[in-house]
Amino acid sequence: KLANPELDVWVITGDGDGLSIGGNHFLHVLRRNVDLQILLFNNQIYGLTKGQYSPTSVVGKVTPSTPFGSVDAPVIPAQVALGAAARFVARGFDVSKELPEVLRRAHQHRGASFVEILQNCPVFNDGAFVQITDRKEGPAHQLWLEHGKPMRFGVNNEKGIRLNPKTLAAEVVTIGEDGVTEDDILVHDETNRTMAWLLSSLPGVVALGVLYCDPAPSYDS
């Protein structure tokens, strides 16, 4: 890409490849803002090398390399990207109809674009993301973000994200309960890095779509 800026480069990697073996490259390509797209397929396992645990494996995961269960706290890829000063951070999952639009936004962005794609591994970690991919129950755990729109979700759009005034943490609330109104629901601002960090790890729901987009001059420019 640096030798030929006209190339349209898409880097396809995984949770082990990008966050462990290639973590150094991942960190610096984001920090330098090289104009390419990074698609990190996260299946929370080393799927190509017989199912060892990966940096994103959940605590307690039993694998050939953790026969008594993993004791490591999992890495949150979006937080690593934000910490490395990425200017575009997004998330989707492998069977979502909205994923093509996320990829279009990534391609449109000039500079390093990071997209985490939650992916099922039917051999070594089947059902890792069934909570959000299930056709019936999934919508209750999917928060699709739109810039300038209230963060609402749920089967009947009854849930939302509110900033707790005491803890300054993002929390899930139900509109109409405990005095919660639509005015309490946060409006997504994809240019706000602090908001993106809060959204990267939510209780009981996964933020999807573009978490953060704030362009800056790319390394090659």
Side-chain angles (χ1 to χ4, degrees):
K1 177 65 179 182
L2 296 180
N4 183 359
E6 298 305 313
L7 289 177
D8 191 6
V9 179
W10 295 71
V11 178
I12 312 301
T13 185
D15 43 311
D17 199 25
L19 298 170
S20 182
I21 300 170
N24 179 52
H25 302 286
F26 179 71
L27 167 68
H28 294 296
V29 76
L30 292 176
R31 178 179 69 86
R32 290 173 174 146
N33 201 28
V34 181
D35 185 23
L36 42 77
Q37 290 73 236
I38 302 171
L39 308 186
L40 187 146
F41 288 87
N42 179 11
N43 52 26
Q44 297 183 342
I45 205 79
Y46 272 99
L48 294 179
T49 51
K50 307 303 181 184
Q52 300 96 322
Y53 87 125
S54 82
T56 59
S57 294
V58 298
V59 174
K61 182 65 180 177
V62 175
T63 75
S65 55
T66 53
F68 299 104
S70 171
V71 298
D72 297 343
V75 168
I76 299 173
Q79 291 186 353
V80 176
L82 289 167
R87 311 297 300 198
F88 182 97
V89 178
R91 185 190 281 147
F93 60 93
D94 52 3
V95 295
S96 58
K97 65 180 185 297
E98 296 89 351
L99 184 59
E101 175 60 19
V102 176
L103 300 182
R104 187 193 68 79
R105 285 290 309 276
H107 184 249
Q108 185 182 55
H109 178 78
R110 298 278 70 82
S113 302
F114 171 68
V115 181
E116 176 191 8
I117 301 173
L118 307 178
Q119 178 191 51
N120 189 51
C121 176
V123 178
F124 298 111
N125 202 21
D126 193 27
F129 302 109
V130 68
Q131 186 180 47
I132 63 170
T133 59
D134 183 79
R135 290 187 177 182
K136 291 184 178 180
E137 302 297 329
H141 305 283
Q142 301 173 17
L143 169 62
W144 283 99
L145 302 166
E146 289 187 68
H147 181 63
K149 299 290 183 65
M151 299 183 205
R152 297 185 61 170
F153 66 99
V155 177
N156 298 308
N157 212 31
E158 76 283 4
K159 302 284 187 178
I161 304 298
R162 179 180 67 176
L163 186 67
N164 187 302
K166 295 182 178 180
T167 64
L168 297 182
E171 61 182 5
V172 176
V173 293
T174 301
I175 298 170
E177 293 185 1
D178 300 319
V180 176
T181 69
E182 187 167 351
D183 292 337
D184 296 312
I185 306 304
L186 283 173
V187 173
H188 183 44
D189 178 4
E190 65 183 30
T191 67
N192 188 323
R193 183 183 292 271
T194 300
M195 179 175 286
W197 183 274
L198 292 174
L199 293 172
S200 64
S201 180
L202 292 169
V205 62
V206 178
L208 300 160
V210 179
L211 279 70
Y212 182 65
C213 179
D214 188 19
S218 65
Y219 186 82
D220 40 306
S221 66

